Amino acid sequence: MEYRVEHDSMGDVKVPADVYWGAQTQRSYENFRIGTEKMPEEVIYAFAVLKKAAALANLRLGKLDEARCHWIGQVCDEIMEGKWMTQFPLVVWQTGSGTQSNMNVNEVIANRGNELAGEVLLHPNDHVNMSQSSNDTFPTAMHIAAVLETKRRLLPALERMILELTGLEKKNIGVMKTGRTHLQDATPITFAQEISGWRSMLEKSKHMIEMAMREVAELALGGTAVGTGLNAPKGFAEAAAQAVSELTGETFVTAENKFHALTAKDELVFAHGALKALAANLMKIANDIRWLASGPRCGLGEISIPENEPGSSIMPGKVNPTQCEAVTMVAVQVMANDTAIGICASQGNFELNVYMPVCIYNYLQSVRLLADALDSFRANCVSGIRANREKMDENLHRSLMLVTALNPYIGYENAAKTAKKAYHENISLKEACVSLEFLTAEQFDEVFHPEQMV
């Protein structure tokens, strides 16, 4: 392999000749050979947005000339188009401020920009990093990435699932079934009512996630090293936030208190809490569906779900609720990520949080997993749910909890005696009630109407 010599404030470093990164990136690449988790591409994209926004803000404020702003912007556009992602090789497990990834971006933009310009115009610190510090750019990239991925990827997937459930609900209006509480028989509901509970859970999750995004849309850019704004011109924070908004089409604002913006990660804790709530809801929905589809002969069997692949290497003909299992595993991972993010946010010292790379890595993984799981679950399971009306009707009329309809006529204690007699003697509620002489057969038929219990 051929090398070239780059230098930074610590001296000369050999760098592969065919890469755009420089000395600081190379030092990190060599010093942190930990794991396989790379800095997420979503963070690199966000860095390209903020570097272009910072250049535009510096141009508007008279700090940067038009030529340098142009070349910085052109390279940022290339990165946003997906080019050069191989030029960002650093792992998550690096400095907790993300400084080395910030410098990775600065070096790539400077070297690629100089190549495009045909002359050495850009310095990674003096021009690409102008009016910035890693301490305010990395949290800014975190927030940009979180907002864009949540809004562009997760919320549309969530809306698609809500629409799917809405359609399934409409198809099952009036389909009676037994309700269940504590995994025991309960009073009747319709299948549409049961589905409406699932739909409403996801609508609530969507609302909470959207609410959280308003907080995450506050940017630290302009706080520089410790929150004082040192070396950033007056108006830079506001101009940069406006430029980020223009470049992304989303509304971003500068954080009111930069000391808070650099050291606290509570907005991401709050936002990921909404993701955890969604994960909890998906866990419940997936569990309900696989319980209802259990069988095919020895379970509840009240619904059928798509048969997508063989379920056993030894039991011929077995089919399992695999989409439900995938969703519940995703939910577990999201809940674990929430713990990591909460611990990250609690560990800032003085003017800076130094757990930022792992914090945003976990947040973005949760967004990615939830979005993918929602689409997979919707397309490969929920869209194919069919009610087994005969089984629902059979279970409904075998349920002893229909006796609740008799409470107003024979009282709670006599109704309990009726249910217990029917259960122990394996007879119908009507037979038990008449045998106990609480009602005549004619009176029972007159007041016992399960379809009116919903």
Side-chain angles (χ1 to χ4, degrees), residues 68 75 126 132 171 178 204 301 333 370 401 451:
R68 288 185 171 91
V75 180
D126 294 337
Q132 306 153 59
K171 291 178 183 177
T178 187
K204 286 284 187 181
Q333 184 63 60
L370 287 168
M401 289 306 100
E451 70 278 358

Side-chain angles (χ1 to χ4, degrees), residues 390-411:
E390 294 78 11
K391 186 65 174 177
M392 286 182 176
D393 188 67
E394 176 190 342
N395 287 342
L396 174 65
H397 285 90
R398 291 178 61 220
S399 172
L400 296 175
M401 289 306 100
L402 295 179
V403 77
T404 308
L406 301 179
N407 284 3
Y409 306 101
I410 64 175

Side-chain angles (χ1 to χ4, degrees), residues 37-92:
E37 295 82 5
K38 304 295 184 184
M39 189 61 61
E41 290 187 4
E42 299 92 337
V43 174
I44 303 304
Y45 179 96
F47 258 116
V49 170
L50 80 86
K51 292 298 178 181
K52 183 172 183 177
L56 291 169
N58 283 318
L59 175 66
R60 293 168 188 171
L61 296 170
K63 292 275 289 181
L64 188 69
D65 61 89
E66 289 189 10
R68 288 185 171 91
C69 181
H70 168 76
W71 294 120
I72 290 172
Q74 184 159 330
V75 180
C76 290
D77 287 342
E78 290 181 348
I79 295 171
M80 284 186 275
E81 291 168 3
K83 295 181 180 178
W84 315 127
M85 283 300 168
T86 58
Q87 300 297 314
F88 305 99
L90 302 187
V91 295
V92 170

Side-chain angles (χ1 to χ4, degrees), residues 6-183:
E6 291 270 352
H7 74 275
D8 59 15
S9 60
M10 295 183 69
D12 291 343
V13 179
K14 287 176 63 179
V15 177
D18 60 347
V19 300
Y20 287 120
W21 70 69
Q24 292 198 45
T25 303
Q26 188 66 27
R27 290 186 193 276
S28 179
Y29 184 71
E30 294 175 0
N31 290 338
F32 297 94
R33 299 184 183 275
I34 304 173
T36 59
E37 295 82 5
K38 304 295 184 184
M39 189 61 61
E41 290 187 4
E42 299 92 337
V43 174
I44 303 304
Y45 179 96
F47 258 116
V49 170
L50 80 86
K51 292 298 178 181
K52 183 172 183 177
L56 291 169
N58 283 318
L59 175 66
R60 293 168 188 171
L61 296 170
K63 292 275 289 181
L64 188 69
D65 61 89
E66 289 189 10
R68 288 185 171 91
C69 181
H70 168 76
W71 294 120
I72 290 172
Q74 184 159 330
V75 180
C76 290
D77 287 342
E78 290 181 348
I79 295 171
M80 284 186 275
E81 291 168 3
K83 295 181 180 178
W84 315 127
M85 283 300 168
T86 58
Q87 300 297 314
F88 305 99
L90 302 187
V91 295
V92 170
W93 321 106
Q94 54 167 280
T95 173
S97 63
T99 298
Q100 290 146 6
S101 281
N102 178 48
M103 285 307 304
N104 184 187
V105 175
N106 289 336
E107 290 172 347
V108 170
I109 292 173
N111 286 330
R112 172 60 177 162
N114 290 335
E115 180 181 70
L116 291 173
E119 58 179 316
V120 179
L121 284 179
L122 300 175
H123 186 280
N125 296 84
D126 294 337
H127 304 119
V128 186
N129 203 60
M130 180 181 285
S131 308
Q132 306 153 59
S133 161
S134 298
N135 296 354
D136 65 354
T137 58
F138 200 88
T140 296
M142 291 171 69
H143 281 213
I144 293 172
V147 169
L148 295 184
E149 288 302 297
T150 303
K151 287 191 172 184
R152 294 177 181 179
R153 189 166 188 173
L154 177 57
L155 289 175
L158 186 50
E159 183 60 29
R160 288 190 289 270
M161 179 63 91
I162 291 169
L163 290 174
E164 189 70 50
L165 289 172
T166 300
L168 187 64
E169 182 183 344
K170 290 178 180 177
K171 291 178 183 177
N172 288 280
I173 292 173
V175 178
M176 293 276 293
K177 66 184 294 291
T178 187
R180 294 181 176 87
T181 58
H182 305 271
L183 294 180

Side-chain angles (χ1 to χ4, degrees), residues 49-50 53-54 57 60-61 219 221-222 235-245:
V49 170
L50 80 86
R60 293 168 188 171
L61 296 170
L219 303 181
L221 202 58
F236 173 79
E238 292 77 11
Q242 181 181 346
V244 170
S245 299

Side-chain angles (χ1 to χ4, degrees), residues 164-394:
E164 189 70 50
L165 289 172
T166 300
L168 187 64
E169 182 183 344
K170 290 178 180 177
K171 291 178 183 177
N172 288 280
I173 292 173
V175 178
M176 293 276 293
K177 66 184 294 291
T178 187
R180 294 181 176 87
T181 58
H182 305 271
L183 294 180
Q184 304 295 306
D185 304 345
T187 54
I189 59 171
T190 68
F191 189 34
Q193 290 171 331
E194 192 164 48
I195 297 166
S196 77
W198 303 339
R199 170 184 52 77
S200 186
M201 291 165 77
L202 299 188
E203 288 172 341
K204 286 284 187 181
S205 291
K206 183 171 180 283
H207 172 71
M208 288 186 286
I209 293 168
E210 289 172 336
M211 181 172 60
M213 287 302 99
R214 293 195 289 271
E215 301 296 326
V216 183
E218 294 186 4
L219 303 181
L221 202 58
T224 65
V226 295
T228 60
L230 179 67
N231 290 344
K234 182 178 176 60
F236 173 79
E238 292 77 11
Q242 181 181 346
V244 170
S245 299
E246 292 168 355
L247 291 171
T248 62
E250 302 289 348
T251 301
F252 289 92
V253 297
T254 188
E256 182 178 353
N257 187 309
K258 300 298 188 297
F259 305 101
H260 167 270
L262 268 59
T263 196
K265 295 291 159 277
D266 42 13
E267 298 99 339
L268 284 175
V269 172
F270 180 64
H272 198 275
L275 301 190
K276 181 176 71 171
L278 171 58
N281 284 340
L282 287 174
M283 174 78 83
K284 182 263 192 294
I285 293 168
N287 279 335
D288 281 357
I289 289 172
R290 63 177 166 183
W291 269 107
L292 291 171
S294 60
R297 291 187 174 178
C298 299
L300 297 180
E302 291 191 345
I303 65 172
S304 63
I305 57 177
E307 298 181 352
N308 297 323
E309 60 272 320
S312 173
S313 61
I314 188 173
M315 293 175 281
K318 195 174 194 299
V319 180
N320 296 328
T322 51
Q323 289 293 320
C324 297
E325 292 165 7
V327 168
T328 54
M329 286 193 289
V330 164
V332 169
Q333 184 63 60
V334 172
M335 293 173 189
N337 287 350
D338 193 71
T339 298
I341 289 171
I343 295 172
C344 288
S346 74
Q347 295 300 307
N349 302 121
F350 304 112
E351 277 64 60
L352 186 66
N353 180 283
V354 289
Y355 290 75
M356 290 191 285
V358 68
C359 183
I360 191 59
Y361 177 85
N362 279 277
Y363 183 93
L364 292 172
Q365 185 193 52
S366 291
V367 169
R368 198 179 308 117
L369 289 175
L370 287 168
D372 289 349
L374 278 162
D375 279 337
S376 180
F377 191 37
R378 172 185 54 79
N380 298 311
C381 182
V382 176
S383 65
I385 288 176
R386 300 291 182 267
N388 185 341
R389 299 190 181 202
E390 294 78 11
K391 186 65 174 177
M392 286 182 176
D393 188 67
E394 176 190 342

